[in-house]
Amino acid sequence: MQELITNLPKSDKLFSQSLASLRNSISTTRTTKTGILFSYLRAKKRGLDYDMNKKVYEQLGALSYEDIRSFYQQQISGKPYTLT
């Protein structure tokens, strides 16, 4: 566990599979019935006036491993953490 927190592993195959899985998950998930209302209210609470899933799905095509690595270095690597 500590190895994953301190060093981001690189696997092009795993990265592409993860992107495909995210695309598939977003494209097959349906918001129905009361979920529509609650999704709307969550978006309004966050100050959004659009469907976040649509935006994420559109931007997945431009996401690269370097983007993930950059985020990892800025937000995770070298930060204090506690394992329980």
Side-chain angles (χ1 to χ4, degrees), residues 69-80:
R69 189 175 67 75
S70 176
F71 174 83
Y72 175 84
Q73 288 177 338
Q74 292 172 5
Q75 302 295 326
I76 299 170
S77 182
K79 304 284 185 191

Side-chain angles (χ1 to χ4, degrees), residues 3-84:
E3 182 68 22
L4 288 175
I5 294 173
T6 57
N7 296 316
L8 180 65
K10 182 174 183 185
S11 171
D12 293 330
K13 182 179 178 181
L14 184 58
F15 181 74
S16 63
Q17 287 174 342
S18 297
L19 286 180
S21 176
L22 282 170
R23 282 189 196 102
N24 185 45
S25 177
I26 291 172
S27 66
T28 59
T29 300
R30 300 290 177 254
T31 305
T32 59
K33 301 181 182 181
T34 58
I36 296 170
L37 175 63
F38 291 121
S39 293
Y40 172 78
L41 292 175
R42 267 193 310 273
K44 289 304 254 182
K45 187 182 268 188
R46 294 177 181 159
L48 305 175
D49 60 353
Y50 55 88
D51 181 14
M52 190 64 180
N53 285 333
K54 181 178 178 183
K55 185 173 183 174
V56 169
Y57 188 86
E58 291 169 350
Q59 292 182 349
L60 279 176
L63 187 66
S64 70
Y65 178 79
E66 291 305 313
D67 296 328
I68 300 296
R69 189 175 67 75
S70 176
F71 174 83
Y72 175 84
Q73 288 177 338
Q74 292 172 5
Q75 302 295 326
I76 299 170
S77 182
K79 304 284 185 191
Y81 61 92
T82 302
L83 293 177
T84 57

